[in-house]
Amino acid sequence: DTEVTQTPKHLVMGMTNKKSLKCEQHMGHRAMYWYKQKAKKPPELMFVYSYEKLSINESVPSRFSPECPNSSLLNLHLHALQPEDSALYLCASSQETGVAGWNEQFFGPGTRLTVL
Amino acid sequence: RKEVEQDPGPFNVPEGATVAFNCTYSNSASQSFFWYRQDCRKEPKLLMSVYSSGNEDGRFTAQLNRASQYISLLIRDSKLSDSATYLCVVNGDDKIIFGKGTRLHILP
């Protein structure tokens, strides 16, 4: 199973809503990532979890709150978002982050988020 | 100099032709290099890791030039299905950096 799954595929939310994005992988990978991608731009790294611990937070606003309940699951909790947060949110996983360089990352299909 | 640079294109190439892209990086301590392809409104998919000795996978060849700090991707006998955006990824020092991507259009 070489698949990363994400739910929901699409999400529309108001600025006062609280919602969560979910990501799951069953490849035994120990590193998981959240990215944000705007149209015609490359993915921007948000968070990295390594062995279920947050290892990198790329100065992401606190209205985005990641959670790693176990080695297969990664959530992104959303609260009080702004319209400019509308984007494709991609989850990825890799075997581990590694000290000799990063391993290949496998991406989920993403959640297309619209904030009204 | 930007950390990772790619020519945005678009490269408009007739079917069957050979096309090559480069990606330059600024951090000489970078450790890992990858090429991904991304179709419109889809997720990036790993195309190839780039090894120091160069590597080939079918019609695709990737090379790393550490002295000049660039990686390259060569596509031979291009197919219509090769039309996509090609992203280079460079990492090291706890950073993962995506290039802005090169758009490729294969013309029938």
Side-chain angles (χ1 to χ4, degrees), chain A residues 17-91:
Chain A
N17 292 157
K18 283 185 183 180
K19 296 285 184 184
S20 296
L21 309 185
K22 297 186 184 302
C23 174
E24 190 167 5
Q25 57 89 13
H26 292 289
M27 295 180 275
H29 288 174
R30 303 315 301 265
M32 294 185 77
Y33 311 77
W34 279 115
Y35 287 87
K36 172 183 176 180
Q37 187 175 26
K38 302 280 265 184
K40 299 190 190 303
K41 301 281 187 188
E44 294 173 36
L45 184 65
M46 299 174 73
F47 302 104
V48 180
Y49 272 81
S50 179
Y51 289 85
E52 299 158 53
K53 298 263 188 298
L54 182 64
S55 62
I56 293 180
N57 175 343
E58 291 285 2
S59 304
V60 179
S62 59
R63 57 186 186 268
F64 295 92
S65 173
E67 179 198 15
C68 189
N70 60 54
S71 59
S72 300
L73 291 173
L74 187 65
N75 298 325
L76 186 64
H77 302 298
L78 314 172
H79 174 54
L81 294 194
Q82 305 295 310
E84 59 264 28
D85 296 322
S86 299
L88 180 68
Y89 287 84
L90 292 160
C91 173

Side-chain angles (χ1 to χ4, degrees), chain A residues 4 25 27 29 31-33 91-95 104-107:
Chain A
V4 177
Q25 57 89 13
M27 295 180 275
H29 288 174
M32 294 185 77
Y33 311 77
C91 173
S93 71
S94 65
Q95 282 188 328
E104 296 96 339
Q105 295 178 50
F106 296 88
F107 284 82

Side-chain angles (χ1 to χ4, degrees), chain B residues 5 12-13 16 23 32-33 38 43 50 52 55 62 77 83 92 104:
Chain B
E5 283 197 82
N12 296 309
V13 173
C23 169
S32 304
F33 309 88
Q38 187 170 25
E43 74 274 21
V50 187
S52 297
N55 45 306
D77 186 24
S83 297
L104 174 65

